[in-house]
Amino acid sequence: MVTRYIYEQIKKDAESMCVELDWAIERRRTYLDNQIGHCKGKKKELFTYLANSNELEGELIIKGLNDWDKIIENYEIEKSLLKPNKNKNSNGITDEMIEKAKQYPIENLLPNPARRNMTNCVAHSPDKNPSMSIKNNYAYCFSCGFKGSVIDVAMKLNGTDFKSTVRELGG
Ligand SMILES: [Zn+2]
């Protein structure tokens, strides 16, 4: 859907321009409000011609009114999908914070350094012959099936919850 795309686009642009997503969303919402107000004004203006119009003019005016309605509706839909708190869960952890935390290298957390991307599993023990593979900062254990990001690994190692782990990893 177009509106979903717009959200993703704003998110991407906010990231690449290093601005807060909520701020960028608020800019877009303010713009949409202005556009909606502008369109409603135009619609109202057009409506005033209806009383003194002939049949043909009347048809064109009604078509024009419908067109303004469609434009306004599209703006309203986009606005309803661009909620500033959309990217925040109940813990106050944003997508940005999670993404930033995920950049923290798993290797820095490991008690024993990985060799050829393999290390002792953080989820089961004993794991004398290292079963946990680390690739692209993602862990997978070929013995117990544990898998996850650096956040999951840190939670296992430190016994911390998701929220504090994200914060500890710099998110
Ligand atoms: Zn394991």
Side-chain angles (χ1 to χ4, degrees):
M1 199 177 174
V2 174
T3 43
R4 181 70 199 157
Y5 167 76
I6 288 168
Y7 175 78
E8 293 299 335
Q9 191 61 48
I10 290 175
K11 193 165 177 270
K12 214 173 119 195
D13 292 340
E15 270 165 25
S16 58
M17 299 311 289
C18 298
V19 302
E20 291 286 332
L21 178 60
D22 278 358
W23 179 86
I25 285 175
E26 208 40 55
R27 296 309 306 156
R28 181 70 186 173
R29 280 173 62 86
T30 305
Y31 168 81
L32 291 171
D33 274 337
N34 288 337
Q35 290 300 105
I36 290 166
H38 172 78
C39 292
K40 282 182 176 172
K42 286 285 178 190
K43 199 186 143 192
K44 209 171 163 184
E45 191 187 326
L46 190 57
F47 188 76
T48 61
Y49 297 120
L50 195 59
N52 298 317
S53 64
N54 63 35
E55 201 177 329
L56 180 64
E57 287 166 345
E59 275 177 29
L60 288 172
I61 288 170
I62 286 167
K63 190 183 171 296
L65 292 173
N66 287 335
D67 287 346
W68 282 119
D69 275 339
K70 275 180 214 152
I71 294 169
I72 292 167
E73 197 192 338
N74 282 334
Y75 285 137
E76 297 276 12
I77 290 170
E78 187 188 333
K79 207 185 133 195
S80 72
L81 291 171
L82 286 179
K83 295 271 185 275
N85 60 355
K86 197 179 165 73
N87 63 323
K88 261 187 189 149
N89 67 25
S90 55
N91 287 329
I93 301 288
T94 64
D95 289 351
E96 286 69 41
M97 291 161 81
I98 294 167
E99 286 310 310
K100 204 177 160 210
K102 280 183 181 172
Q103 304 301 312
Y104 189 91
I106 288 180
E107 283 82 357
N108 292 4
L109 296 175
L110 300 175
N112 305 315
R115 284 181 191 167
R116 290 179 190 158
N117 297 332
M118 298 301 289
T119 189
N120 305 94
C121 180
V122 296
H124 84 275
S125 64
D127 185 31
K128 286 177 185 165
N129 295 313
S131 312
M132 195 171 78
S133 168
I134 310 285
K135 199 168 185 193
N136 299 327
N137 219 32
Y138 194 83
Y140 179 74
C141 175
F142 284 92
S143 289
C144 73
F146 168 82
K147 56 184 172 184
S149 70
V150 63
I151 298 171
D152 302 299
V153 171
M155 283 166 74
K156 277 283 174 205
L157 280 172
N158 305 325
T160 46
D161 63 20
F162 181 78
K163 186 183 170 183
S164 53
T165 305
V166 169
R167 291 188 190 280
E168 275 165 26
L169 294 174

